[in-house]
Amino acid sequence: GVRCAGSLAALPQKLDLLIVAVAADAVYGLVDEIIAAGTVESVMLIPGSLGETMKSRVPAAAMAARINAAHAHEGGGPIFLGANCLGVVSHPGSYDSWFIPLERLPKPQKKPERNSVMLSQSGAFMITRLSRNPWLDPRYMLAVGNQTDLTHGDMLAFFAERPEIETVGIYIEGFKDLDGQDFARAVRAAVVNGKQVVIYKAGKTAPGMGGVMGHTASIAGSPALFASVLRHAGAIVADDLDAFDDLFYIAGALHRKKIGGNRLGGISGA
């Protein structure tokens, strides 16, 4: 009962989304086929090891160059999310590309409204946050992976203009060349548009920097410079993971609420 096609070129209509979950070595040729066929609008590249090992860095860079070259053609070519990404959970789109059994990660109860987005370079980061925070159920959860095509700046610039989004939580390991500046501008645009942006940056310690570089082929960069630039742009930068959870929750709960005067009470168990 599942429709099949002999090739991408044989598809009877253009696909909105193609999810690629094949062996890493098969991705390079498949990406060339996707570009040549012209029958796909957007692609999620799930496989890892593309640009994250010494052996894969040259072919992965060449693949990224071919993707970028296709954007210069008429129509712009397909856009790619990933590689090494868990993909997307989209409540408005009614799809979930995470492939995680319900017994391992139960779905939260449906909520009438969701005003938040979570962007993460790591799928494991989002899974851990979901597991630890039963209240967490964003409208969209997106793993950007190693940013072969779409970057942190691209994603935040898009959501900065979406009126239904009020809070954005972001986990970052590193930026592609020049994307740090674009990302800072996107933070500023989101804040000007009335949104709260909460960010946690990995790679503050020497072991953390090593983990970042091994995971998504990113360079961690200077934590102090990162925090200074993005706070200046208007973001809330969390110092640790627990603070990220709390700030993301508070940003959503108190969004558009005015707090003034001294009518504040506090209760503590300590």
Side-chain angles (χ1 to χ4, degrees):
V2 179
R3 289 183 295 166
C4 299
S7 66
L8 290 172
L11 288 169
Q13 61 208 32
K14 200 165 189 177
L15 296 180
D16 293 325
L17 172 64
L18 175 66
I19 299 176
V20 174
V22 299
D25 290 344
V27 171
Y28 303 109
L30 183 56
V31 165
D32 290 339
E33 183 182 350
I34 291 168
I35 293 172
T39 54
V40 179
E41 294 281 3
S42 58
V43 185
M44 288 183 201
L45 295 178
I46 306 296
S49 302
L50 300 175
E52 294 142 29
T53 63
M54 290 298 296
K55 178 182 177 182
S56 69
R57 285 180 184 175
V58 171
M63 179 183 72
R66 294 194 297 274
I67 291 172
N68 194 49
H71 292 328
H73 297 161
E74 185 178 356
I79 57 172
F80 290 79
L81 181 67
N84 189 16
C85 81
L86 199 61
V88 174
V89 174
S90 168
H91 287 295
S94 300
Y95 68 86
D96 177 349
S97 71
W98 285 12
F99 306 117
I100 299 174
L102 289 174
E103 62 269 18
R104 296 186 63 184
L105 186 68
K107 301 294 185 192
Q109 291 188 350
K110 299 303 179 185
K111 299 179 181 178
E113 280 189 45
R114 301 175 181 85
N115 66 353
S116 64
V117 172
M118 181 173 284
L119 305 175
S120 174
Q121 205 157 350
S122 163
F125 174 87
M126 289 192 288
I127 291 172
T128 304
R129 306 273 62 77
L130 286 172
S131 178
R132 293 189 59 180
N133 301 286
W135 55 266
L136 185 60
D137 187 22
R139 184 179 292 254
Y140 302 96
M141 290 180 283
L142 301 97
V144 300
N146 64 16
Q147 306 172 88
T148 298
D149 186 21
L150 292 173
T151 64
H152 290 300
D154 293 326
M155 297 306 243
L156 183 56
F158 174 77
F159 286 112
E161 302 300 325
R162 298 297 293 263
E164 73 276 17
I165 300 302
E166 296 184 339
T167 58
V168 185
I170 308 170
Y171 168 81
I172 295 173
E173 292 175 350
F175 294 109
K176 289 296 184 181
D177 287 347
L178 303 180
D179 191 54
Q181 185 176 15
D182 287 343
F183 181 78
R185 287 172 173 156
V187 167
R188 189 63 190 158
V191 172
V192 168
N193 287 340
K195 306 180 194 310
Q196 298 279 10
V197 181
V198 180
I199 301 173
Y200 177 75
K201 173 75 166 62
K204 296 181 179 180
T205 63
M209 289 182 183
V212 163
M213 293 177 70
H215 179 223
T216 48
S218 297
I219 297 174
S222 164
L225 179 62
F226 172 91
S228 178
V229 170
L230 294 185
R231 284 185 174 128
H232 186 73
I236 303 169
V237 181
D239 292 327
D240 55 52
L241 294 175
D242 288 336
F244 175 87
D245 292 345
D246 292 341
L247 289 167
F248 192 36
Y249 177 82
I250 292 169
L254 300 183
H255 192 78
R256 301 195 188 282
K257 292 180 172 61
K258 294 182 179 180
I259 302 172
N262 59 1
R263 294 178 299 161
L264 177 66
I267 300 175
S268 171

